[in-house]
Amino acid sequence: DNGVVINPDPSTWKCETSGATENLWLNLSDGNIGGGRKNWDGSGGSNGALDHFEATGRMYPLVVKLGTITGDIETADCYSYAKDEDGPVKVPNLAQLLEKRGIKVTDMQKTVKST
């Protein structure tokens, strides 16, 4: 645990690489906030979350889309970049992982469309 805690106020969230403020993903292992994937045509996110996964030696694959977290934790968008998963996943201890990063799911409201 690196002790990283993020501000629970969504207006303060931004990609740590590009500064983008939309389509943000929180790395559940180390607290990095990165942008979503770029599309094949260059549109979409800043790719910050995936780039961070690559830059850390593919060690921390689990991310959750900020803005999809609510008291109904089952509705949060979670994704694993791990080669054997590379897709949406369920994270059974998501509420605990988020609280470790400073986010109390009961205080959150959905602010973005699910993927």
Side-chain angles (χ1 to χ4, degrees):
D1 181 15
N2 62 3
V4 171
V5 175
I6 66 168
N7 189 323
D9 178 2
S11 70
T12 66
W13 298 340
K14 63 183 178 181
C15 174
E16 294 180 27
T17 304
S18 71
T21 58
E22 295 181 2
N23 190 13
L24 299 174
W25 293 78
L26 172 67
N27 186 293
L28 293 169
S29 296
D30 66 9
N32 178 272
I33 297 175
R37 290 185 187 211
K38 285 185 181 176
N39 295 323
W40 62 272
D41 64 356
S43 66
S46 66
N47 222 52
L50 181 58
D51 291 345
H52 175 73
F53 169 66
E54 297 288 344
T56 57
R58 301 176 157 253
M59 290 177 45
Y60 309 117
L62 291 177
V63 294
V64 61
K65 187 173 185 180
L66 293 170
T68 66
I69 303 162
T70 68
D72 182 6
I73 200 68
E74 294 294 316
T75 64
D77 289 358
C78 297
Y79 195 90
S80 174
Y81 295 127
K83 187 176 182 179
D84 62 337
E85 292 175 317
D86 197 22
V89 293
K90 292 289 182 191
V91 180
N93 61 336
L94 181 58
Q96 293 86 0
L97 292 171
L98 289 169
E99 188 149 340
K100 185 168 103 174
R101 298 290 169 212
I103 296 176
K104 293 185 176 143
V105 296
T106 55
D107 296 342
M108 302 305 296
Q109 294 183 352
K110 189 170 187 162
T111 59
V112 298
K113 182 179 173 184
S114 293
T115 53

